[in-house]
Amino acid sequence: MTISTAALLFVAAIIGGAINAVAGGGSFLCFPALLLAGIPPIAANATNTIALWPGSVASTVAYRRELRGMHRELVALGLASLAGAWAGAALLLRTSSRLFVLFIPWLLLFATLVFAFGGAIGRRLIRDARAPLGLAVIVQSAIAVYGGYFGGGMGIMMLAVLSFLGMSELHRMNALKTVLATTINGVAVVVFIAAHAVAWTPGLIMVVGGVAGGYGGAAMARRVDPRTVRRLVLAIAWATTLYFFAKTYAWV
């Protein structure tokens, strides 16, 4: 690995970790960076999970004040996240590399659309209704399967689940979302390591950057307008999605 490639991965992880803490969507930057570094697609997806997970842990620590009083939601949604993430990660490892390459643009498109419109659609569907915790657990399980498999945009989906439960305070929702994302990615990390699916040299470089970005991003989240960060993430997401559609299907 060249110094320039290592620097690219390190910077991508810093920015990705910070973006995850503020608004979600760090994978739109880190996953393509790993592919550009020459990592095979499934290994890149596994390494991306490893790279951003410690940053999520750091963000959880930074959000500990906002998590007080949410023990019931943490336990119920956390258990759903554990089970779903294991299923999703196992499914990824059973997907052939060629098939996953064809899936990548569609996964990115789905994640981008969720990131762009998921919040507004969720608010329109929910309005003043409040769903029971049991229903939220079922939905969270499905999100966790997707999160273990790919994960892009799952933060927005989880915010919608928390809205189902009647939560409205953004920082508390972000804190709980971060814990659930950390749980999902933590399970995937264990599965991917056990399957020897991780490219460790780029992964460790990105771990360091992801921790710095994740902790710093959580600290900045109380001062930075998330809408500004979302606009930046969406620009990156659309550009990345279009690039991978062109690259993947130009010769098909």
Side-chain angles (χ1 to χ4, degrees), residues 11-104:
V11 172
I14 290 177
I15 299 172
I19 286 174
N20 271 351
V22 177
S27 291
F28 288 121
L29 197 63
C30 295
F31 178 62
L34 285 161
L35 292 176
L36 290 173
I39 309 301
I42 291 179
N45 194 35
T47 305
N48 175 62
T49 302
I50 297 284
L52 292 179
W53 181 69
S56 295
V57 174
S59 296
T60 299
V61 174
Y63 273 131
R64 60 191 179 278
R65 187 172 66 235
E66 285 80 5
L67 291 169
R68 293 170 184 162
M70 292 194 287
H71 178 75
R72 181 168 171 263
E73 291 84 358
L74 273 170
V75 172
L77 297 177
L79 290 174
S81 297
L82 285 170
W86 180 85
L91 180 62
L92 173 68
L93 295 176
R94 285 165 175 74
T95 303
S96 71
S97 294
R98 175 58 182 161
L99 188 60
F100 189 67
V101 166
L102 297 177
F103 281 166
I104 287 173

Side-chain angles (χ1 to χ4, degrees), residues 10 14 16 27 62 87 93 123 129-130 133 141 151 168 185 207-208 210 237:
F10 183 71
I14 290 177
S27 291
L93 295 176
R123 286 190 297 272
R130 177 170 179 156
L133 182 58
S141 298
S168 58
N185 289 330
V207 162
V208 177

